[in-house]
Amino acid sequence: MTTVGSTGASTYEAVNIFFDRAADRLKLDDGERELLRRPWRELQVAVPVRMDDGRIEVFTGYRVQHNGARGPYKGGVRYHPLADREEVKALASLMTWKTALVDIPFGGAKGGVQCDPHLLSEGELNRLTRRYTANIEHLLAVNRDILAPDLGTNAQTMVWMMDEYGRIHGHTPGIVTGKPIELGGSAGREAATGRGVVTVVAEVAKDAGIDLKGGGVIVQGFGNVGSWTARIADEMGCNVVGVSDIQGGSYRSDGIDMKQLLRHKDETGTVTGLPGADSVSNEELLEQPCDFLIPAAIDGVIHAENAPRIKAKMVIEAANHPVIPEADRILNDRGIKILPDILVNAGGVIVSYFEWSQNLYQAHWKEDRVTTELKKIMTRAYRKVSETAEREAITYRDAAFLIGVGSVAHVARMRGFI
Ligand code: NAD
């Protein structure tokens, strides 16, 4: 079971602490809570793969459909050694509250295969992806459950999934989002989560009177979300002072030259060892002074031990569940504001919604339209969260869960589930 920080709680139990606080405020009774907390459907599958050396290795895969009251299930598929049932359940429930918070017509789901994609060849990844898709295919449909990329998966993974699903059901681009544009992907999808993250940074900076060119931005993780966040933040005039990937980080207090960094990453495959910057570990990077600390890699990186040493003015949760509940309390007590994952990283699922809609009526939006509509939805959601937080005198996270859980409970009641 994936546990986070020093609490020993599973990620699922930890996320439910935030759910329970919203349920208390909404005065949901025990039965209503149980219905909304518990996943509707959980599937575990064996994923046997013929490895390049001729052996058969059997991986474990999951698809969890958490809640579909507001629309078809929607959620990414993660390839990671820690992607176990509890983690996938937690991430599926976060998708339910996220899609409700930003008000797009989807429910919440998540998938995962317990594996280290970096240790697999392209052929092995292809075979693993096809076998996983074939084994969960009976749960999927464009109006039932739609897949997307997450940690360790990408546009290529989505093509293999679409292709495998299509072998059984006929060509169905809308069954996955995050596809390459040539195969029905949306302009702007790749950058979407990062663009949404930076939209939230810009809005909260305006409200808090923080100059984006000032104390700087640190981004942990340089994959899809982290790299686009850093690039778009830089384009918007932010002073990006620190970045990292799984190998470690680079920090420069007067700002990193983004063009130099991207060149360095292209040449070496990593953001560590950037000439002219200090090399730091991931742990050290999180503790450097900055205005906005943006964890954009994995879960549970800010915990009870390092929370007292965080020096950022605000933590912007681009990754899912990067701050565990104990750390959340410590940062709140220290006056460090946290913008929660279900708001901050919603840009990906919002543009997935645009992609799915375009696939359904075979349309192609221009990137400008995607960006404008994305910013509109992100800004509206941020405003709702910030107004609710102020009105109820609660944290941004509690406000975001209050809106998300409240919306799902309302629709579940209308449909007669509760
Ligand atoms: P990715 O696989 O593209 O990139 C992950 C990055 O994190 C890589 O740079 C990797 O080197 C780094 N990393 C991995 N393990 C690390 C560790 N132990 N310490 C430090 N860095 C580490 O993944 P992604 O799609 O960018 O997703 C990142 C996070 O954002 C995840 O929590 C994911 O659930 C969340 N998210 C992603 C999307 C999306 O559209 N891709 C949308 C919403 C949320």
Side-chain angles (χ1 to χ4, degrees), residues 76 78-80 91 95 98 110 117-118 148-154 189-194 197 220-227 244-248 265 269-271 282-283 295-299 301 317-322 341 344-349 352:
R78 171 173 287 205
Y79 289 176
H80 194 272
L91 295 167
M95 285 303 292
K98 185 183 304 181
K110 203 80 183 187
H118 302 106
D150 192 69
L151 204 63
T153 54
N154 54 29
R189 170 62 182 90
E190 218 194 306
T193 308
V197 173
Q220 183 196 38
F222 212 74
N224 174 282
V225 180
S227 65
S244 74
D245 57 32
I246 195 164
Q247 299 185 43
K265 159 97 179 152
T270 175
V271 296
N282 263 290
E283 292 71 29
I298 53 163
D299 320 16
V301 293
E317 293 187 331
N320 281 311
H321 194 55
D341 46 11
V344 172
N345 67 32
V349 75
S352 279

Side-chain angles (χ1 to χ4, degrees), residues 12 35 37-44 62-68 72-73 85 88-89 92-93 96 108-111 136 138-141 143-145:
Y12 180 60
L35 176 76
R37 186 192 286 123
R38 201 193 276 193
W40 192 251
R41 200 175 275 126
E42 296 172 43
L43 177 66
Q44 178 178 323
Y62 305 93
R63 183 69 181 170
V64 173
Q65 298 176 332
H66 178 260
N67 187 296
Y73 299 103
R85 193 186 196 104
V88 176
K89 273 163 64 174
S93 72
T96 301
K110 203 80 183 187
I136 65 164
H138 57 291
L139 296 189
L140 309 177
N143 291 315
R144 181 172 297 151
D145 188 353

Side-chain angles (χ1 to χ4, degrees), residues 4-7 283 286-287 299-310 322-328 330-331:
V4 284
S6 59
T7 59
E283 292 71 29
L286 295 175
E287 296 174 19
D299 320 16
V301 293
I302 302 180
H303 39 73
E305 288 93 77
N306 65 1
R309 297 194 295 272
I310 300 293
V323 177
I324 71 159
E326 258 183 295
D328 185 77
I330 295 169
L331 295 179

